[in-house]
Amino acid sequence: MTPINLESARETYRNISANISKIMRGQETATRHLLAAIAAGGHVLLEDYPGTGKTTLAKALARSIDARFRRLQFTPDLLPSDILGVSIFDQRDQQFHFHEGPVFTNILLADEINRASPRTQSALLEAMGEGQVSVEGMRRNLSGLFFVIATQNPVEFRGTYPLPEAQMDRFAMQFTLGYVAPEQEVAILTAQAHNHPLDELQPVATLADVLALKHAVENIRISDELKRYAVDLVAATRTASSVQLGASPRASIALMKAAQAMALFERLDFVAPEQIQKLAVPVIAHRLVLEPQARFSGVTQRGVIEDILKNVKVPA
């Protein structure tokens, strides 16, 4: 990859980030994590309170890159066919025709994903992991850019189902948006005095630009020492005293790719330890299953990763 292509990819990132910031005030870190995930070819799980802008963030991203966007509200009665699609018999030609479900899009917002049954949640597994779905015995490929933004509410658990560990492992990152500062919230009120800023948001990149950005990320160098550092961080979760189930090698891959994306954003041609350290919590923490006694004692997944970061030696 030539330097001019890397610079073009950085320009794509800057344009998209600046466009989203017109809507998402005070959410620079969340925006950077979101773009790192899509550039690394992963998916995102947003766990945050209602009204913090999760849906708005997803829509702002889709409009910034002129992508197809579908929002799917997960409910207890949602079926796998509601996600993947179904064949319907047409009386006119006496044949079955497949009608694509919401998964056939570029950006899929899976809203309150933990309100659907595990059977329905698992319908996304193949799509997220392989970029394809199997419906009625036939394999159907998804778009070259397929990005899932799933949300769940951290305070309301009535009528919800915990996400299976295998599905949690499919999300490259989990992070929160949180509440913005009062000054920024006032600016949000002012911006929405007459209409929603999303109504006026225009694309600043194409799907081809985003695919080029993903290709540029693959060409950011990462040394064997830093690959081992990422592996050591993930491996340490498997022997931590408070962890029942540690992170899998998929976490190591996600951490490496996300660090490459972050290095690209920060105008580096190579990964430094700082990128891995910044992303360790959002990439690894949600994959851990804590011992019940540890949870009751106040141990958190984030705390486990922060302790590991302090104890694992950083390459020179």
Side-chain angles (χ1 to χ4, degrees):
M1 179 66 67
T2 62
I4 189 171
N5 286 333
L6 288 180
E7 188 53 43
S8 176
R10 293 187 180 105
E11 184 67 21
T12 297
Y13 159 73
R14 288 193 293 268
N15 289 340
I16 298 173
S17 179
N19 211 41
I20 293 176
S21 68
K22 296 176 183 177
I23 309 298
M24 302 299 299
R25 298 177 184 271
Q27 297 291 0
E28 290 79 10
T29 299
T31 299
R32 178 168 290 205
H33 284 167
L34 183 77
L35 295 180
I38 193 172
H43 306 281
V44 162
L45 176 62
L46 299 178
E47 184 177 78
D48 216 329
Y49 304 109
T52 52
K54 300 184 293 294
T55 299
T56 301
L57 177 62
K59 288 183 176 180
L61 173 63
R63 295 195 181 188
S64 295
I65 60 178
D66 197 20
R68 287 179 296 159
F69 173 79
R70 297 290 297 272
R71 178 182 181 273
L72 185 60
Q73 181 67 47
F74 278 63
T75 56
D77 61 348
L78 195 72
L79 299 175
S81 59
D82 295 325
I83 299 175
L84 305 179
V86 64
S87 291
I88 298 177
F89 186 74
D90 192 332
Q91 292 281 2
R92 291 170 296 184
D93 59 7
Q94 298 291 299
Q95 293 184 359
F96 283 94
H97 296 276
F98 181 71
H99 291 253
E100 295 181 344
V103 76
F104 290 90
T105 188
N106 297 126
I107 297 177
L108 175 66
L109 175 61
D111 214 359
E112 294 189 287
I113 190 173
N114 57 334
R115 292 200 176 278
S117 67
R119 175 170 172 252
T120 300
Q121 293 173 10
S122 65
L124 276 178
L125 279 178
E126 183 182 10
M128 294 171 62
E130 307 296 333
Q132 66 182 35
V133 295
S134 298
V135 184
E136 300 167 353
M138 182 178 296
R139 187 183 70 184
R140 299 178 185 274
N141 293 325
L142 301 178
S143 168
L145 175 64
F146 175 64
F147 184 52
V148 175
I149 303 175
T151 73
Q152 61 180 4
N153 188 337
V155 293
E156 178 56 69
F157 297 107
R158 183 178 300 173
T160 64
Y161 303 83
L163 297 184
E165 287 78 11
Q167 188 167 1
M168 292 294 284
D169 203 27
R170 289 302 197 283
F171 288 106
M173 289 193 213
Q174 179 194 28
F175 55 89
T176 63
L177 299 181
Y179 297 117
V180 298
E183 297 79 11
Q184 293 164 332
E185 193 164 348
V186 169
I188 293 173
L189 298 183
T190 303
Q192 298 193 29
H194 301 290
N195 54 26
H196 201 292
L198 267 174
D199 298 336
E200 301 176 358
L201 198 66
Q202 298 297 318
V204 294
T206 64
L207 291 179
D209 292 331
V210 177
L211 292 175
L213 174 63
K214 293 176 65 175
H215 186 61
V217 166
E218 298 170 356
N219 286 271
I220 295 296
R221 300 191 306 275
I222 178 169
S223 67
D224 289 341
E225 290 79 10
L226 284 182
K227 290 178 184 176
R228 181 56 188 263
Y229 180 51
V231 168
D232 287 345
L233 290 175
V234 172
T237 67
R238 303 166 194 159
T239 56
S241 59
S242 55
V243 176
Q244 186 178 56
L245 178 66
S248 74
R250 188 178 283 118
S252 303
I253 296 171
L255 184 57
M256 177 189 72
K257 291 184 175 180
Q260 287 175 294
M262 196 65 73
L264 177 72
F265 299 166
E266 295 177 359
R267 304 185 65 81
L268 296 174
D269 294 343
F270 55 88
V271 175
E274 291 75 19
Q275 282 88 44
I276 294 176
Q277 293 163 344
K278 290 176 186 176
L279 293 165
V281 170
V283 171
I284 305 174
H286 65 282
R287 305 169 194 267
L288 308 184
V289 177
L290 300 180
E291 295 281 0
Q293 186 175 356
R295 293 200 307 270
F296 297 144
S297 301
V299 175
T300 64
Q301 296 159 310
R302 181 186 185 94
V304 170
I305 301 302
E306 289 174 345
D307 288 341
I308 288 174
L309 284 170
K310 295 175 184 176
N311 295 323
V312 173
K313 184 178 179 182
V314 182

